[in-house]
Amino acid sequence: MIRFLSSFYDTCIKPYFSSGVEDTDRSHKNKIYRAGQLIQDTQLSIAVRADAARDIGILSYTGGYEHAAQAADEYMASMVELLKTPDVTDKHIIEVLEGLSTICYLHVANQDKAQALGLPDMLLEFISPTTKLSITSQRWSCYLLNILCCHNIPIICHIKDSTTLQSSLEKLASLNWDRWPLNFAQELLGVLGYQQSSKSDTLHEEDEQKGFTYTKSGQMLGKQLKRMLNMHINYRY
């Protein structure tokens, strides 16, 4: 009798009281899984895999903390490896960096996973004086470095060991960041505690005059991620 009542409740009564949250959660996990399968399929083109990497980042961000953790546990390693692919282009790199930014945003555990995978060192190479990447890729690399450093002292200490980081950031800070919410090279200079030149101070003052707000760690409150989320993303999963 008890088993019958339990079965009857699950089949006939429970669906009427369901808020739809469980279905939404399951759907989000399925989308992340399908996107992750594309990332891990090395037989697919880099373009398809990079596009999936960007989408999985957005799915992680919109799905919340647990979904971001799931994506990092299962797919972050493949995303980082994709950045090392010999034929990867600037466009593909930017898409992967977008995805990693959303997975790591305000998620210290995922930031630590990224460090274990060597992502901070890779980003330092992307903005180094010898880099061949476009300025746009360097800006995204700088933005992701900001995210990785947010509330994460070990990563801050790690990247400060770079002998070329300050000069690389000062060069990027001198560029035009008008299409970005903040000059993230300038922000990272402040987070790392580097001595700022008068020109850098001027750039910081210009950002403040625009009305931007900062957290204690010098981070911008998610405007760049929100801008990316406002772009048209076709969820195919």
Side-chain angles (χ1 to χ4, degrees), residues 33-213:
Y33 172 78
R34 294 187 186 111
Q37 295 305 296
L38 294 180
I39 296 170
Q40 293 179 330
D41 189 348
T42 57
Q43 300 301 313
L44 295 174
S45 68
I46 296 177
V48 171
R49 297 174 67 202
D51 197 45
R54 180 187 61 184
D55 285 358
I56 201 172
I58 295 175
L59 286 164
S60 301
Y61 181 78
T62 56
Y65 196 90
E66 291 184 4
H67 289 97
Q70 173 201 354
D73 285 340
E74 299 178 12
Y75 308 117
M76 186 186 289
S78 297
M79 295 170 73
V80 174
E81 282 298 316
L82 189 55
L83 292 173
K84 302 176 184 178
T85 306
D87 296 329
V88 68
T89 67
D90 255 26
K91 178 180 181 294
H92 303 144
I93 289 174
I94 291 168
E95 289 177 335
V96 177
L97 294 179
E98 288 178 6
L100 289 168
S101 296
T102 47
I103 288 176
C104 294
Y105 180 68
L106 296 181
H107 203 304
V108 176
N110 285 357
Q111 294 166 7
D112 292 340
K113 289 184 179 73
Q115 184 178 19
L117 292 168
L119 182 58
D121 291 325
M122 189 180 301
L123 297 174
L124 292 178
E125 292 180 9
F126 285 176
I127 64 171
S128 70
T130 59
T131 186
K132 296 182 180 179
L133 296 182
S134 70
I135 294 299
T136 303
S137 291
Q138 292 182 58
R139 286 193 181 102
W140 272 102
S141 299
C142 187
Y143 174 65
L144 182 48
L145 278 171
N146 269 272
I147 286 178
L148 294 178
C149 288
C150 187
H151 308 304
N152 201 313
I153 301 301
I155 292 181
I156 291 175
C157 293
H158 176 75
I159 67 173
K160 281 199 71 173
D161 288 339
S162 170
T163 58
T164 61
L165 179 56
Q166 182 174 359
S167 59
S168 296
L169 290 176
E170 288 177 345
K171 179 180 178 181
L172 284 173
S174 68
L175 301 177
N176 187 342
W177 287 74
D178 281 352
R179 294 186 179 182
W180 290 71
L182 287 178
N183 183 325
F184 286 105
Q186 181 61 42
E187 286 300 292
L188 194 53
L189 282 167
V191 170
L192 297 174
Y194 286 132
Q195 184 67 35
Q196 300 176 22
S197 65
S198 57
K199 184 174 183 179
S200 295
D201 289 336
T202 301
L203 289 167
H204 204 160
E205 289 174 4
E206 289 176 354
D207 282 339
E208 290 179 339
Q209 289 171 4
K210 293 176 183 178
F212 294 126
T213 57

